[in-house]
Amino acid sequence: MPKQLSIIIVNYKSSQYILDCLQSADANLFDNDAIEWIVVDNDSKDNSQVIITAQFPFVRWFNMGYNAGFARANNQGIKMAEANIVLLLNPDTLLLPGAIETCLHNFVHSAHVACGVQLVHADRSPQFSGSYFMLGGINHLLALPYWGALLKRFASVLKTNKPAVLNAGHEQVIDWISGAFLMVKKSAIEQAGLMDEDFFLYGEEVEWCSRLQKAGSLCLYGNINIIHLIGGTIQSATASKDNSYTNLSDKKGLQLMISNHLRIRKQYGLFWFFFQLLNYTWAALFAFFASFFYNLIRFNNPFTEFVSLFGLLQNVFKLWTIAPKIMSGKKHFYKYI
């Protein structure tokens, strides 16, 4: 029987997450010859393969031989995939009954080239699942301490629509889909190309969706839910203190900043790259003054945030040292975590 769906999971020291994910899947997803499961391992150097394939022997396993990140590992899975539709699935997801089957049925009978579903937290509250593009990627400025808060207020006064889709409608056409659950037709990949292998982590699915969009529309099926334990795998792998995407002061924050600037350079060009870089630089300096007076007037220690802000400033300095490579547009593997 020809394959209809290839499910690709990238592993990096996340065997327990993958076991939980597979155990949550409907049994008919394993007994169906039209569906294959592929795990691409980023050289975990542990017993992940033994643990997972012992319980799920049908899993096709490929070891990259190095920590290749999200884009390169998924590209390998796509190359191995025998089906005409691929699903990029995060290890830290739990599949609710019928989710994949319903999504696949809707997708096959649609003109869309890619789709996602409504991601939810463990308590079933909605989670960011996709987004609309903002010119120059200026929404990335909102994560900056103090400066981002001021920009949010300004955007609120102007009644600017929020780009992120927190709670999707029944079927909502959007610009890009979260890589936690991203189903794509191979015919669109043949037109758009694979994921950009300059990316190590973060931003790669956004840039990819901008190219997939040229082949057709992308959508979210808001009536189909899966649980996403957001940031669980990367938090475990990097020992990050939180699982958010707003902390720009640690190693994970540096990778976020670099990947987002790389994506902006590729998608929007040099002007918007410099616009972002200058805003990040100003924001890192402005935050010291803003935090000092903000805490002072509230009778708190005015230096309480200085440690994290020094981390932000150091990351911005590192970003400046990497900026010439990004500006050049030459191929480079931007791995900094």
Side-chain angles (χ1 to χ4, degrees):
M1 177 184 294
K3 302 296 183 187
Q4 188 178 20
L5 177 66
S6 298
I7 303 172
I8 302 165
I9 302 175
V10 175
N11 176 55
Y12 182 69
K13 301 181 180 180
S14 53
S15 58
Q16 188 56 57
Y17 282 106
I18 294 177
L19 286 176
D20 292 342
C21 175
L22 292 171
Q23 288 165 358
S24 72
D26 295 334
N28 63 317
L29 292 175
F30 304 145
D31 301 331
N32 192 338
D33 290 337
I35 297 176
E36 65 172 346
W37 295 78
I38 300 170
V39 173
V40 181
D41 185 75
N42 271 329
D43 200 27
S44 297
K45 289 186 170 64
D46 59 16
N47 57 351
S48 294
Q49 182 175 3
V50 174
I51 293 173
I52 293 168
T53 56
Q55 292 193 41
F56 302 97
F58 53 82
V59 168
R60 297 177 62 193
W61 193 278
F62 185 90
N63 194 334
M64 292 294 290
Y66 71 108
N67 190 357
F70 189 77
R72 295 183 180 201
N74 272 304
N75 282 350
Q76 178 60 44
I78 293 169
K79 291 172 186 176
M80 293 173 60
E82 297 178 8
N84 291 323
I85 295 175
V86 297
L87 169 61
L88 310 189
L89 184 66
N90 264 24
D92 54 354
T93 53
L94 299 174
L95 303 171
L96 298 177
I100 287 182
E101 302 96 310
T102 305
C103 181
L104 179 62
H105 177 269
N106 291 350
F107 189 44
V108 166
H109 294 91
S110 77
H112 303 303
V113 300
C115 72
V117 299
Q118 177 65 60
L119 304 176
V120 297
H121 295 284
D123 64 0
R124 302 303 195 273
S125 59
Q127 185 184 123
F128 160 78
S129 305
S131 188
Y132 297 100
F133 289 129
M134 292 194 74
L135 182 62
I138 57 175
N139 51 301
H140 289 307
L141 302 178
L142 302 182
L144 291 165
Y146 293 99
W147 183 237
L150 287 176
L151 293 176
K152 283 181 185 177
R153 289 196 175 189
F154 183 65
S156 178
V157 170
L158 295 179
K159 297 183 179 179
T160 304
N161 291 328
K162 294 181 179 179
V165 176
L166 179 63
N167 204 345
H170 181 77
E171 182 176 324
Q172 186 169 345
V173 174
I174 59 169
D175 291 334
W176 66 270
I177 300 163
S178 168
F181 186 107
L182 176 53
M183 192 176 286
V184 188
K185 293 175 180 173
K186 268 194 171 178
S187 57
I189 298 175
E190 290 171 1
Q191 294 183 55
L194 294 167
M195 301 182 89
D196 192 317
E197 296 191 351
D198 284 358
F199 291 91
F200 171 67
L201 193 64
Y202 307 124
E204 60 280 283
E205 81 269 35
V206 186
E207 191 278 334
W208 195 38
C209 285
S210 73
R211 287 184 281 120
L212 288 171
Q213 214 177 30
K214 296 174 183 177
S217 59
L218 288 67
C219 83
L220 286 177
Y221 294 118
N223 59 326
I224 305 172
N225 295 351
I226 69 157
I227 297 170
H228 180 212
L229 307 173
I230 186 168
T233 49
I234 186 61
Q235 187 178 9
S236 299
T238 62
S240 179
K241 292 181 179 179
D242 63 59
N243 63 355
S244 73
Y245 298 97
T246 57
N247 181 7
L248 301 175
S249 301
D250 58 7
K251 287 175 64 178
K252 176 183 168 184
L254 175 63
Q255 186 66 59
L256 272 166
M257 289 167 54
I258 292 170
S259 296
N260 287 337
H261 279 75
L262 177 63
R263 194 272 291 190
I264 289 162
R265 166 68 178 92
K266 288 177 177 289
Q267 189 175 347
Y268 295 110
L270 282 172
F271 171 82
W272 287 107
F273 170 80
F274 272 116
F275 179 85
Q276 291 274 344
L277 184 58
L278 293 174
N279 266 272
Y280 269 68
T281 306
W282 156 252
L285 297 172
F286 173 74
F288 281 95
F289 297 99
S291 68
F292 180 88
F293 289 107
Y294 177 82
N295 285 290
L296 186 65
I297 62 177
R298 283 165 174 73
F299 303 103
N300 297 326
N301 180 355
F303 303 102
T304 189
E305 296 180 77
F306 272 33
V307 172
S308 65
L309 293 179
F310 271 118
L312 171 63
L313 190 61
Q314 287 177 323
N315 282 349
V316 171
F317 176 78
K318 291 175 184 176
L319 178 60
W320 271 98
T321 66
I322 298 162
K325 289 181 183 178
I326 300 177
M327 290 165 52
S328 72
K330 295 180 180 178
K331 300 300 292 180
H332 180 74
F333 188 31
Y334 289 88
K335 180 179 181 295
Y336 294 90
I337 198 170

